Amino acid sequence: MKRAQPVVRAFEDATMRIPIADINFLYEVQPQIRKSVKYGQIAASIKEVGIIEPPVVVPDPAQRGRYRLLDGHLRVDVLIADGVTEVVCLVATEDEAFTYNRRVSRIAVIQEHKMILQAGKRGVSDERIARALNVNVDIIRRKRNLLKGICPEVAELLRDKHVPLNAFGELRRLKSIRQIVAAEMMIAMNRYSVSYVKSIVAATPPDQFAEGRRPPVRGVTNEQLDLMAEETERLDQEVRGIEQRYGEDHLDLVLAAAYVANLLDNARVVRHLAQFHSDILGEFQKIAEIQKAA
């Protein structure tokens, strides 16, 4: 039996307070970035509640006593503008070639909703949350009430999806069973825009709307609505058919990619392909690289 490999620590055990003057930025924060909504939200959040997520640094091997900033450029830039001279950082053990932000899943709207509810239970007012996020207090209240009229199954299906706030308003028009169908279609098509949800609502049969929630129909005949409903049903059936075949197709693809990768381990095969079928060799090499990366 193989012994389990020890887990390599990505960060030091403790955070470290570091002078900002000893931190090297990987890139310069441009003036237009400082005018962005995201930058304003970060600045407002730091002013209201301080830094929640410490910046990530790594010791600079070329300059003893100095650090490279891997993640948190905007946060540190805000601190510099406020005259702060030191910041508490997480210290990484390795200087990764990729940006840490690429490994971060940005928070979905349902997760924001839950965080706002938790903050409310701790006595944090909507006004303070709005100031921390640099948004209108009405948006915080809308997010607080996000799941009113949304069935629990849909909340679970969309819990980690980036669904626009107004899309939930459209889903509330539907009965629970139609909400579930709509959410499944959104996931299957990987489309979460308000316009796409509106198209699902528009193709919904009259008996699947919540009481008093059917939107007014302008410029669309009953025949057109029936046709949209039929097309939506047909598309839904096609998507379900693809889902049923996905597992088998994916297995075939994995086996084929593994075979190609093993084939390219044979030097004679590679020489033959390079001499007579260089275009095929190039495609095989791409497949092999994907297989190794997986």
Side-chain angles (χ1 to χ4, degrees), residues 182-195:
E184 289 175 342
M185 291 175 64
M186 294 161 66
I187 294 169
M189 300 300 292
N190 194 29
R191 294 183 63 184
Y192 305 97
S193 65
V194 176
S195 60

Side-chain angles (χ1 to χ4, degrees), residues 33-291:
I33 297 296
R34 296 189 178 101
K35 298 177 183 178
S36 67
V37 173
K38 179 180 178 181
Y39 189 92
Q41 289 177 335
I42 292 172
S45 176
I46 291 174
K47 181 179 180 180
E48 188 66 28
V49 297
I51 287 186
I52 298 174
E53 184 181 356
V56 178
V57 299
V58 66
D60 191 331
Q63 296 177 286
R64 184 178 179 84
R66 295 189 64 84
Y67 299 84
R68 293 177 180 173
L69 183 60
L70 299 180
D71 179 61
H73 286 70
L74 301 189
R75 278 165 275 163
V76 176
D77 190 75
V78 169
L79 294 179
I80 293 173
D82 290 341
V84 178
T85 59
E86 293 183 330
V87 61
V88 174
C89 299
L90 284 172
V91 181
T93 56
E94 293 185 10
D95 186 0
E96 297 289 354
F98 53 83
T99 303
Y100 274 75
N101 279 334
R102 293 182 183 176
R103 303 182 67 182
V104 177
S105 296
R106 299 305 175 190
I107 189 168
V109 68
I110 288 181
Q111 294 168 338
E112 284 186 332
H113 159 78
K114 293 179 179 179
M115 291 175 63
I116 290 171
L117 291 182
Q118 292 173 356
K121 291 178 181 179
R122 295 196 298 267
V124 181
S125 67
D126 290 347
E127 289 76 12
R128 186 178 181 190
I129 297 174
R131 288 196 302 269
L133 298 178
N134 196 34
V135 297
N136 190 293
V137 69
D138 289 338
I139 293 179
I140 299 300
R141 289 168 181 160
R142 288 178 63 193
K143 289 182 177 180
R144 178 185 294 280
N145 299 322
L146 181 75
L147 298 182
K148 285 187 177 180
I150 302 295
C151 70
E153 292 83 357
V154 169
E156 178 63 20
L157 285 170
L158 301 179
R159 69 186 186 280
D160 58 350
K161 309 300 182 185
H162 294 278
V163 183
L165 199 57
N166 290 338
F168 286 92
E170 294 298 321
L171 290 174
R172 288 190 194 96
R173 299 181 184 276
L174 310 176
K175 289 183 178 179
S176 295
I177 189 65
R178 181 62 176 174
Q179 286 185 13
I180 295 172
V181 171
E184 289 175 342
M185 291 175 64
M186 294 161 66
I187 294 169
M189 300 300 292
N190 194 29
R191 294 183 63 184
Y192 305 97
S193 65
V194 176
S195 60
Y196 183 63
V197 179
K198 283 185 176 181
S199 70
I200 296 175
V201 172
T204 297
D207 61 345
Q208 294 188 30
F209 283 97
E211 186 176 353
R213 297 290 293 172
R214 186 179 180 184
V217 179
R218 298 184 178 90
V220 181
T221 66
N222 290 332
E223 291 77 12
Q224 289 173 323
L225 285 175
D226 291 340
L227 180 60
M228 290 172 66
E230 291 175 5
E231 290 294 321
T232 301
E233 180 64 24
R234 182 183 60 78
L235 177 61
D236 186 43
Q237 291 176 357
E238 290 179 358
V239 169
R240 292 179 186 276
I242 293 171
E243 287 178 337
Q244 292 173 358
R245 298 193 303 271
Y246 174 80
E248 183 178 343
D249 291 344
H250 184 262
L251 178 59
D252 290 343
L253 179 61
V254 170
L255 292 175
Y259 175 77
V260 169
N262 290 334
L263 196 64
L264 294 184
D265 287 337
N266 188 315
R268 292 177 61 190
V269 171
V270 173
R271 284 197 299 270
H272 176 81
L273 290 174
Q275 185 175 358
F276 299 104
H277 305 285
S278 59
D279 54 339
I280 296 178
L281 175 60
E283 296 301 319
F284 277 7
Q285 287 174 333
K286 292 178 183 178
I287 294 173
E289 288 174 2
I290 294 173
Q291 170 68 16

